[in-house]
Amino acid sequence: MRLVQFEEGGHTHVGIETDQNSDIVDFTKANPDVSTMIQFLKNCEKNMEDAKRIFNDAKYVVKRENVRILSPITHPEKIICIGMNYTDHCEELGKPIPTNPVVFSKFSNCITHPGAGITYPKLTEQLDWEVELAVVIGKSGKNIEEKNAMEHVFGYTVAHDVTARDLISKNGGLWLLAKTFDTFLPLGPAIVTRDSISAPHNLGIRCKVNGELMQNSNTKNQVFKTERLISYVSQYVRVIFRFTTLTAGDVISTGTPPGVGCFRKPPVFLKVGDIVECEIDEIGRLQNTIVAE
């Protein structure tokens, strides 16, 4: 199943896509108490049953052209990001493959919508792209064992981890400030539920800038797969970040493959007016344009 958030009449709704780029079944119309994806995930099992029940009911269908598609999730409690998580990206960096996940974070202010502008901050001259597979947590938990980790996955979406590269060196090599500007995490276009993905660790993943293919890899090249990341974060990283549980609605962005701009020879960076397309097989394409601050 493919779930979206959309805006109609100034209000946020949860919807179910009948197919990619198709009309939408308005779940919120059927259940007005659930108008955001976070609310949907707080009672995920029952809401999924209700979603399946109304899926073929024409009275809940809205035309896609009459609504605005939003990020499929907004205001998660946590956005956890993983660095250096593709073997081919580590080769590009000339660095050894990590023995444990490299973890950092973004904030909810970074999230923006499919088709929305990505703001080019005046503080940077090196704006870079990073396509990533994002995991959306559907079941809260802590101390999760790898063998049980997939029970906590609701689904997957496409993430664009926008980065101001020059701010990394200006801030002692730390990534946080370079990655947490407003609009620096487009998400979408939909969350595809776990049972609707054939093999999450064998999906083509690509990024194009102005139609030119920049990144082209496969999630099978990830160093740490979803099970390992969920287990690691829920058991160990809580000591660093002082959180004790993964919460329904949390997002884990699982790292980018090779082909980012800063490691090209010569380096290539985004500019105002550029169109960035991030795409993952079976999930869809996320397109955004770089706009001036």
Side-chain angles (χ1 to χ4, degrees), residues 4-18:
V4 297
Q5 283 190 143
F6 66 92
E7 184 182 69
E8 183 181 42
H11 300 285
T12 301
H13 294 235
V14 174
I16 312 155
E17 287 187 333
T18 54

Side-chain angles (χ1 to χ4, degrees), residues 15-268:
I16 312 155
E17 287 187 333
T18 54
D19 201 349
Q20 282 195 53
N21 303 314
S22 65
D23 291 338
I24 297 167
V25 178
D26 188 345
F27 183 88
T28 300
K29 185 176 180 181
N31 184 350
D33 292 331
V34 178
S35 60
T36 69
M37 195 66 68
I38 295 290
Q39 292 173 337
F40 185 98
L41 293 174
K42 294 300 183 184
N43 195 6
C44 186
E45 187 172 341
K46 178 184 182 300
N47 288 330
M48 280 298 294
E49 291 176 0
D50 290 345
K52 293 172 183 176
R53 177 177 53 81
I54 69 168
F55 184 71
N56 293 311
D57 194 331
K59 71 183 177 187
Y60 297 116
V61 173
V62 296
K63 293 293 183 182
R64 193 180 193 90
E65 58 266 26
N66 295 334
V67 303
R68 177 192 177 210
I69 300 298
L70 304 175
S71 166
I73 195 157
T74 44
H75 307 294
E77 183 178 291
K78 293 180 286 295
I79 302 169
I80 301 161
C81 302
I82 310 299
M84 296 176 59
N85 197 34
Y86 279 75
T87 55
D88 43 2
H89 185 44
C90 292
E91 292 169 3
E92 173 184 55
L93 294 170
K95 294 185 178 181
I97 293 173
T99 56
N100 283 310
V102 177
V103 182
F104 61 99
S105 62
K106 282 186 178 253
F107 305 133
S108 290
N109 65 290
C110 301
I111 293 176
T112 194
H113 312 298
I118 297 170
T119 302
Y120 196 126
K122 294 177 181 178
L123 290 174
T124 182
E125 296 179 348
Q126 296 182 355
L127 197 66
D128 208 346
W129 58 84
E130 295 187 23
V131 61
E132 304 198 3
L133 174 71
V135 178
V136 179
I137 299 298
K139 176 184 175 183
S140 299
K142 62 180 179 180
N143 297 321
I144 300 166
E145 296 184 45
E146 285 190 44
K147 66 181 181 180
N148 301 322
M150 295 305 288
E151 298 173 8
H152 296 263
V153 175
F154 176 65
Y156 300 87
T157 193
V158 182
H160 181 187
D161 177 17
V162 184
T163 305
R165 295 288 180 193
D166 45 353
L167 296 189
I168 296 176
S169 59
K170 291 178 181 178
N171 286 280
L174 300 177
W175 296 348
L176 184 69
L177 293 181
K179 289 177 173 285
T180 52
F181 285 88
D182 293 346
T183 74
F184 268 30
L185 187 64
L187 292 175
I191 297 172
V192 181
T193 55
R194 184 183 73 225
D195 59 347
S196 297
I197 294 287
S198 61
H201 304 119
N202 191 19
L203 299 173
I205 179 169
R206 295 169 291 278
C207 179
K208 296 179 180 178
V209 178
N210 299 327
E212 181 179 353
L213 186 64
M214 295 296 190
Q215 293 180 275
N216 187 21
S217 188
N218 191 290
T219 57
K220 68 183 179 182
N221 295 321
Q222 287 184 345
V223 179
F224 305 106
K225 306 302 193 284
T226 300
E227 297 91 333
R228 171 68 169 140
L229 295 175
I230 288 174
S231 178
Y232 182 81
V233 166
S234 70
Q235 293 187 54
Y236 304 112
V237 179
R238 70 179 191 276
V239 177
I240 301 171
F241 288 99
R242 298 188 183 276
F243 59 78
T244 59
T245 186
L246 281 173
T247 301
D250 286 350
V251 175
I252 302 176
S253 197
T254 61
T256 199
V260 295
C262 68
F263 296 113
R264 291 179 168 269
K265 298 181 181 178
V268 178

